[in-house]
Every structure is written in structure tokens, then in C-alpha cells.
Amino acid sequence: MIIPAVGYVPDWMIALPVCVVGSLLTLLNLKFRGRLSRFERNFSILGAQIAVWFTWISTKVRSAQVDTLNRDIMMMAVGILLVFVISIFYGGAVP
Amino acid sequence: MLLLPVAAAALLYFAEFGRRTISIVSCGFIVLSLTVAVRCVPVVLESGMVYESYPWIPELGFNFDLMVDGLSVSVVFAILLVSGAALWFSYSYEEKLRTFSVGVLLFVSAMVGVVLSTNMFQFYFFWEAMIIPAYFIIAGFGEGKYKGMTAVKFFVFMHIGALLILFSFVWVYTIKGTAEFMALDMVGVPAAVPVLIFVGFCIKMGIFPFHNWLPDAHSEAPAPFSALLSGLMVGMGGYGIIRVLMLTFQLPPTGVVLTMALFTMLYGGIMAMAQSDIKRLLAYSTISQMGYVLLGIASSSAVGAAMHIFTHSLFKSLLFLCAGSVMYSAGARTMEKIGGLNSRLPKLFVVALVGILSLMGLPPMASFVSEVMIFEAMGADAVALLLAISAGVVTLAYGLVLLRNVFFGKPVRVKKLPLHLWLPQALLALVLVAVGLFPDMISYLMGVMA
């Protein structure tokens, strides 16, 4: 990426709340399904989960902190699984 | 600029006017407000800004200050142009015109207040004031069967963002002892503060993964208000990032912001391609276009981002008004039930074509200039540039899908489009072409940032 991760705010500090708040809002979206189609719901939930965790991991890769990468991939897997399970029981959105 | 829409709202609320007078009063006060904004321009160009100060809460040392610089006056132009067009359009569109106009005028005033604010708490006050009329308009005037739920969803999501911003503002105030934007910097401020502010503004902009509220709210709201939500309100998030994070805290953007911008551009575009409901397609397109604004911010191009906020507000409002016209004439909003409108409604076709070409970012439309400014600022990162151009291709694709499915093919039966519905769209189309041909008149003004 062209913009170097410099300045007062490091990449991980932006990625963390993006992941956490993004995941929470994605779950909240199940409460207010409204006009959302099945495709939109599934894409929104799983796509968002994968993307936010991908954003988090990409910060590690770019800043060469690969020593903690395995732990993060585990976190991503657990995070996606958790949202998947909640989606089935809470929203019935996942086929 | 700030008080005239409020005065119009009060007048309409307390007086018993007919439909024509309601329309004249609401549009007339917007034109007056626009005149005040235009009169500020020579002073801004000469001395950099116009500043007014009134006592507000003396115990806490807060003044009610209003500042007009090049950036804010340009955004105010967009707010007043679009809201004037939307109010004009409502004359033949909304049944309960009086209540609707009062809500819209209060909403417009709150947006102008956000743009002119000079301290954090005043900014937050107007930020909240923007949400309340919007909630009532979506709940009361919405066009779908889910309008009640959508209004609550909108309210909840907006307040999560607003509370993050309020929390950060109070945190900064306790550290720095001042709420004035001009007196603030990052010295001694924890890094978490700008991050929370950023997330709060991103929720308003509908940036991925905070976008969930946007397709529902923008497709369920009545068409003239969708034009304001999609054209203006989401842009306020971008304006907030520029004003608070770029100009006040002077933070350099990081890679994550760029990643979010590129992902949002592609995600919004791909989701737009999958829609058959025209308003929902436009709503997803707004998500994608806010990705462009964030890309400008990630590339440190405040003027490019602000220019795209300006141009997007014009063409997206135009397209939502076109969608309203299609719903009025054809009585449908899904593309399967519409077609061949170029022969049945040729005047609508012309203005919609200007809107769709602007959406695609083609010359000589104004959005071409703003997109070029953003891409130019990106530099030579091949991967980022490739992804950004891919998002442009996706935009082209869903723009063409919209054009083909609505305006070509087998013509459907339609009713005549009143002139009151078409003229405001023609006005916006004219401005889009004029700014596209003479972009300097806005981009130069935007560069005068305090």
C-alpha cells in the first residue's frame, strides 16, 4: 500500500475497533432484517466477518509482525464460527 | 444560512398555507440562504474565512461560533442546492407536504450547522439534530412496508456512531480544556480518540463493515428524502473526517483506511449489480461512492475527497429524484416491471442520462473531475490503483444495467410526468454539467481551508 503506517495512530489500532464494531453492527443487522434478501443477509454476515478479520491480519502482514499470525488466523476462525453459530440460532440467516 | 431554514420551518408549522404557498415559502427561504452563502464567497476568497461569535454557555466558556471557509461554503452550496431541488420536487410528490417540508427544513438547518460549527460540542449538537427529523421522516413518510423497522434501525446505528463521537469529544475536552477546533492538536491526546471518531464518522458514511443501515434507510425513505440522505447526509461523515481528523488533528492516513476504502468501493459496486430494486441499487452505489471519498482521504487529498462529496451529492440526489419520477410515472420500483422509458418519458431520460454518466465518472460531468483528483493523489501503488480502477469498471457495469433496464427494452404504460417533478432534476443536471466544464470555480474555493 502506498500510504506508510506512520504517524500517531498505528494500523492495528484502527483495525481493532473496525473489526469489533463492524462485527457487532453486523450482528445487530440480524435484529433489523427488514427488506434484506437472503443473499444480502448471508453475504453481509459472512462477507463482513471474513473481511474485517482479513483487514486485521493484513495489518500484521504489512507491518511484518508475522510471528503472531497463526494466533490471529485462529482468532479469525473462532470469530467467524461464533458469528455463524449466533446467526443460525438468533437470525436464521445462514442456510 | 443556518437560521433561514429554521424560520421557514417555524412559519410553515404555525401558519395554515396551501400547497403552492408551502412550496414557495420552503424553496424561497432556501434560495435566500443560498444568497447569503454566495455573498460570503468574496470575503472567503479575500480573507480566508467569515467568522461570527455569540455567547452560548459562558460558565463553560462555550461560544456559539460559526465559521465559513472555502470548504464549508462549498458543502453548504451542495446542501442548499440539493435540498431546494428536493423540496421543489416534493410539491407534486408528497401528500402531506407541510409536515414533510418542516422536517426537511430542520434537517437541512442541522446539516448547515454541522458544516459551520467551530467547536466539538456545537458540532455534536447539530450532528444529533440531524438524526431526529430524519428518523421521523423515514418512519412517517417511508415508501415500503418495513419503514417502521428501518427507521428504528437507522436511529440505533446513527446513535452508536454519534455516541462514539461524543465520547471522544468529551475525552479530548477533559485533556485539552478547550472544545475549539482551531485550538486543538494531537499533543497529549491518546491515539484511541481519533480512531473512535473515525469509526463514528464511518458509520455515518456507510463505510464497510458499518454499512448495514444504509441500503434499508435509503431505499425505504421517500424519494426526495432519499436524495437528501444519500446525497448529503452520508457526505457529512466525510466532511467530519476532513474537518476533525485531517484539518484539526492533522493526522496522516494509514494503510487500513486505504484498505477499507478500496473494499467499500468494490463491495458497494458488486452489491449494486445484484439489485433489481432501483432505489436499493442506488443505495448500494452510495456505499461504493463513499469508498471513493474515503480513498481521497486515504490519499491525503482533502480537496479531492471534498470535491467528490460535492459532486456525489448532486448526481446521487438527481438519480434518487429520477427514481421517484419513475415510481410516480410507472408505479413500480423493480427493474423487471419497468422498461422503455426513453420513448415514453424523453425529458426524464435526458436528466437521468446526465445522472448515470456522472455516476460512471465520465467527462464532461463534474464527478469525472473529482475522481481524477482522487486517482491522481493515489500515487503509483499498482495494486491499489488496479483495485480502484476495477471498482470504476463495476460502477460502469451497474450504471449501464440501470440505463438499459429502465430506459430501454419493452415500453411499459406510464402516466405523464408533471413539470414540477422534472424541473428540479433539470436544475441539478445543469449544475453537474456546469461544474464539470468549469471545475475550478468549486475546487479553487474548496482549497481555501481554515
Side-chain angles (χ1 to χ4, degrees):
Chain A
M1 298 293 170
I2 51 157
I3 308 293
V6 293
Y8 299 98
V9 187
D11 260 351
W12 70 266
M13 202 174 261
I14 303 176
L16 187 62
V18 168
C19 290
V20 174
V21 181
S23 300
L24 287 174
L25 293 187
T26 306
L27 282 177
L28 192 62
N29 192 35
L30 286 178
K31 178 77 185 160
F32 305 103
R33 272 173 297 202
R35 196 188 277 271
L36 284 180
S37 66
R38 195 177 189 82
F39 168 73
E40 283 176 297
R41 268 182 285 169
N42 296 340
F43 193 89
S44 167
I45 293 158
L46 293 176
Q49 285 309 305
I50 292 164
V52 292
W53 288 105
F54 170 76
T55 308
W56 171 250
I57 285 173
S58 72
T59 64
K60 289 292 182 68
V61 176
R62 270 187 287 119
S63 56
Q65 291 174 290
V66 283
D67 51 323
T68 54
L69 205 59
N70 286 339
R71 190 197 65 194
D72 288 343
I73 290 171
M74 283 301 290
M75 275 169 62
M76 177 182 82
V78 171
I80 291 172
L81 195 67
L82 195 68
V83 173
F84 204 81
V85 171
I86 293 171
S87 305
I88 292 169
F89 287 106
Y90 186 60
V94 180
Chain B
M1 275 186 270
L2 182 65
L3 287 180
L4 283 167
V6 180
L11 190 64
L12 292 181
Y13 185 77
F14 290 110
E16 289 287 333
F17 292 133
R19 285 185 71 83
R20 183 179 287 266
T21 317
I22 290 171
S23 189
I24 290 170
V25 168
S26 51
C27 292
F29 273 71
I30 292 290
V31 171
L32 278 178
S33 198
L34 195 59
T35 313
V36 177
V38 170
R39 283 175 62 93
C40 289
V41 172
V43 187
V44 168
L45 289 176
E46 198 180 303
S47 55
M49 69 167 92
V50 179
Y51 202 96
E52 287 181 7
S53 184
Y54 307 94
W56 186 26
I57 313 172
E59 291 80 13
L60 293 173
F62 292 166
N63 284 335
F64 191 87
D65 296 346
L66 300 170
M67 186 206 50
V68 183
D69 64 355
L71 173 66
S72 58
V73 81
S74 311
V75 178
V76 167
F77 280 153
I79 293 171
L80 296 173
L81 269 171
V82 169
S83 55
L87 282 164
W88 191 1
F89 183 89
S90 312
Y91 174 70
S92 301
Y93 194 85
E94 286 298 336
E95 280 181 22
K96 297 175 185 170
L97 186 62
R98 180 164 153 253
T99 323
F100 181 79
S101 301
V102 169
V104 167
L105 286 163
L106 292 175
F107 180 71
V108 168
S109 181
M111 278 193 291
V112 173
V114 165
V115 173
L116 301 186
S117 291
T118 61
N119 74 63
M120 295 187 292
F121 295 113
Q122 196 180 322
F123 184 95
Y124 179 75
F125 170 78
F126 286 115
W127 195 261
E128 278 288 328
M130 204 162 51
I131 301 170
I132 296 161
Y135 166 79
F136 283 108
I137 291 175
I138 297 171
F141 295 85
E143 286 172 343
K145 61 179 175 180
Y146 298 109
K147 61 181 182 183
M149 182 193 279
T150 301
V152 174
K153 181 177 179 175
F154 169 81
F155 197 76
V156 169
F157 274 64
M158 288 301 96
H159 269 90
I160 292 172
L163 287 176
L164 288 174
I165 292 169
L166 178 65
F167 176 75
S168 313
F169 281 178
V170 172
W171 198 357
V172 172
Y173 181 70
T174 53
I175 293 167
K176 306 291 276 186
T178 178
E180 294 295 323
F181 285 139
M182 281 184 188
L184 289 173
D185 53 36
M186 270 300 285
V187 178
V189 175
V193 168
V195 174
L196 293 178
I197 294 174
F198 174 72
V199 171
F201 285 138
C202 280
I203 294 176
K204 179 71 87 183
M205 286 173 82
I207 294 296
F208 189 94
F210 314 114
H211 63 284
N212 291 315
W213 65 274
L214 196 149
D216 283 333
H218 292 205
S219 60
E220 295 293 302
F225 195 65
S226 296
L228 299 182
L229 282 181
S230 219
L232 298 172
M233 197 195 75
V234 292
M236 290 294 109
Y239 175 83
I241 294 179
I242 295 170
R243 177 64 72 194
V244 180
L245 298 181
M246 290 182 89
L247 298 179
T248 302
F249 290 127
Q250 306 209 326
L251 288 170
T254 70
V256 172
V257 179
L258 184 61
T259 309
M260 286 171 72
L262 292 168
F263 204 91
T264 304
M265 286 163 68
L266 283 166
Y267 171 83
I270 292 166
M271 291 302 283
M273 281 179 78
Q275 304 304 315
S276 63
D277 180 322
I278 48 175
K279 282 183 78 182
R280 214 164 170 80
L281 183 151
L282 293 175
Y284 273 111
S285 138
T286 299
I287 294 176
S288 180
Q289 293 297 320
M290 283 300 110
Y292 281 86
V293 173
L294 195 64
L295 184 64
I297 290 164
S299 310
S300 299
S301 172
V303 177
M307 189 71 181
H308 201 64
I309 292 172
F310 182 86
T311 57
H312 174 257
S313 70
L314 296 175
F315 74 73
K316 193 49 65 64
S317 308
L318 170 61
L319 286 172
F320 266 108
L321 295 185
C322 288
S325 303
V326 169
M327 285 161 65
Y328 178 91
S329 288
R333 54 191 278 179
T334 51
M335 286 191 271
E336 292 87 16
K337 295 177 183 169
I338 311 166
L341 295 190
N342 70 325
S343 58
R344 297 290 163 96
L345 302 167
K347 282 192 292 186
L348 180 68
F349 174 65
V350 171
V351 289
L353 191 64
V354 172
I356 293 171
L357 291 178
S358 301
L359 176 71
M360 294 171 178
L362 299 180
M365 304 302 161
S367 55
F368 170 75
V369 180
S370 56
E371 284 183 20
V372 165
M373 285 167 87
I374 291 170
F375 287 157
E376 222 175 53
M378 278 181 73
D381 185 306
V383 178
L385 210 57
L386 187 70
L387 289 171
I389 289 169
S390 306
V393 174
V394 173
T395 309
L396 201 72
Y398 72 76
L400 287 173
V401 166
L402 184 67
L403 194 68
R404 185 196 62 194
N405 290 353
V406 176
F407 291 98
F408 295 95
K410 194 180 166 196
V412 293
R413 192 183 290 265
V414 294
K415 66 176 177 184
K416 196 170 173 260
L417 195 68
L419 203 60
H420 277 294
L421 289 185
W422 183 77
L423 280 175
Q425 298 170 58
L427 172 77
L428 291 178
L430 206 64
V431 177
L432 270 169
V433 177
V435 176
L437 292 175
F438 308 102
D440 276 0
M441 62 184 177
I442 292 295
S443 61
Y444 180 73
L445 187 60
M446 274 177 179
V448 188
M449 295 180 188

